Amino acid sequence: MWLKKAFDQAASGRLPKSTFTDDSAIALFGVGKNMVSSIRHWALACDVLCETDEDSSSFVVSSIASEIFRDGGLDPYADNPTTAWYAHWWLAGKGNRATTWRWLFNHVTAPTFTRQELEGPLEAYARKLLPNKKLSSATFSRDLETCLRSYAPRSGSGSPEDFAEPLLGELNLLQEVHKGQYTFRRGPKASLHNALFAFALIDFWEDSANNVTSMAFETIAYGEGSPGRVFKLDEDSVAERLIALEDLTDGVLAWRDTSGLRQVHRKKGSTKELRVEMIRKAYE
């Protein structure tokens, strides 16, 4: 419920940054000091709160977060799997504040892996991104543990917190096959709504190739940051979802398979309203 906690404090659509650092924050959020910082981080990483150039002292609530989390909204208490898929897309697809998530779902191709095996490659990737920043090896280990346990919570003995099902655990994207050894679960995702897939495709398109009106199947299925890759879909599952696009988007996006050339075509114009429409449909 951390995302909801952050949203509820921004009653006017804005939230002073000092809300998370004031002495009253612990009582306001009903959690410890470190968890207050965590709520702030996850709200920013999952697009509940955003920073703006106009007001450096406040966060603003994103328009889609308002659609989802407001009282009477699409899913104010995060019960619907679409909310988890949306959060996963922001973490692993966009990755603006979640480098480990973005790296794990886009760069790790081994059939099985352990946290220890990932630490070196992740550290090398991060140091390449930020060559002048001092980075701690212990931080990579902790971040990987947090990331992996977000999708595959601990089993066996432990504290009650270890048994709590994390928001992303219901997506079945990652499985612990042996103690400490993980694998991705590729294939169709029954809980992933076609409209949320379409939203992610529009988002990916705008970020990677906004000026083009067609995108190849291979890019959608395998490109870095693509829906196929981030959602761990197999080729048949991607194709089935692409075929449904034309009816789903009223022709704004359309699948074409002619002479062996498989592409999605997009009509010119703004897709801002279409993105919101896809989010609404994903909760139907």
Side-chain angles (χ1 to χ4, degrees):
M1 296 313 300
W2 284 4
L3 300 181
K4 175 66 171 172
K5 281 179 179 290
F7 177 85
D8 283 346
Q9 296 305 319
S12 64
R14 287 186 175 272
L15 185 62
K17 293 181 179 180
S18 59
T19 305
F20 295 98
T21 56
D22 287 347
D23 292 339
S24 60
I26 293 174
L28 187 66
F29 288 100
V31 297
K33 182 178 179 181
N34 289 341
M35 287 188 179
V36 171
S37 297
S38 293
I39 289 173
R40 176 184 182 275
H41 167 76
W42 293 114
L44 289 165
C46 295
D47 191 46
V48 175
L49 299 177
C50 310
E51 294 188 278
T52 65
D53 295 331
E54 293 80 16
D55 182 3
S56 61
S57 66
S58 297
F59 299 119
V60 298
V61 174
S62 74
S63 58
I64 291 179
S66 183
E67 290 276 342
I68 296 171
F69 291 107
R70 71 175 187 269
D71 291 341
L74 297 170
D75 188 28
Y77 299 106
D79 294 324
N80 193 304
T82 290
T83 302
W85 283 112
Y86 180 78
H88 171 71
W89 174 250
W90 268 89
L91 294 168
K94 307 283 280 187
N96 297 339
R97 290 176 176 267
T99 300
T100 298
W101 272 252
R102 169 84 178 190
W103 176 82
L104 178 67
F105 281 88
N106 287 280
H107 292 268
V108 176
T109 57
T112 61
F113 47 86
T114 65
R115 189 201 72 210
Q116 292 81 2
E117 290 169 343
L118 298 180
E119 288 175 8
L122 174 60
E123 185 171 349
Y125 175 79
R127 293 190 187 282
K128 187 176 180 180
L129 286 178
L130 299 166
N132 299 320
K133 187 175 179 64
K134 186 177 181 180
L135 301 169
S136 165
S137 296
T139 299
F140 295 109
S141 180
R142 288 194 301 269
D143 212 45
L144 275 168
E145 179 72 8
T146 300
C147 180
L148 294 170
R149 291 303 176 192
S150 295
Y151 297 91
R154 288 186 181 90
S155 58
S157 60
S159 67
E161 288 80 7
D162 291 338
F163 299 132
E165 180 74 4
L167 177 68
L168 304 173
E170 64 184 286
L171 303 183
N172 290 320
L173 286 166
L174 201 63
Q175 179 183 8
E176 189 173 13
V177 289
H178 301 291
K179 187 175 181 180
Q181 188 175 55
Y182 302 88
T183 186
F184 289 118
R185 284 181 166 176
R186 291 180 171 84
K189 301 294 187 293
S191 65
L192 175 62
H193 198 288
N194 276 346
L196 197 281
F197 174 88
F199 167 87
L201 175 56
I202 295 165
D203 216 22
F204 171 65
W205 203 320
E206 290 177 346
D207 286 345
S208 61
N210 196 37
N211 295 324
V212 301
T213 57
S214 63
M215 183 172 283
F217 172 84
E218 289 73 20
T219 302
I220 298 168
Y222 300 112
E224 181 174 349
S226 67
R229 198 165 184 171
V230 170
F231 296 143
K232 297 303 175 190
L233 299 167
D234 57 69
E235 281 199 6
D236 289 344
S237 299
V238 173
E240 288 175 7
R241 292 175 185 277
L242 295 180
I243 290 169
L245 282 176
E246 191 162 7
D247 289 339
L248 186 66
T249 65
D250 292 326
V252 176
L253 300 177
W255 167 250
R256 297 290 181 265
D257 185 356
T258 55
S259 303
L261 189 63
R262 300 185 295 174
Q263 294 181 323
V264 172
H265 292 265
R266 182 181 70 170
K267 288 183 178 179
K268 291 184 178 179
S270 173
T271 53
K272 183 177 180 180
E273 291 182 2
L274 181 61
R275 292 168 82 251
V276 176
E277 183 184 349
M278 289 301 100
I279 288 293
R280 289 171 179 163
K281 283 189 176 182
Y283 286 93
E284 292 177 353

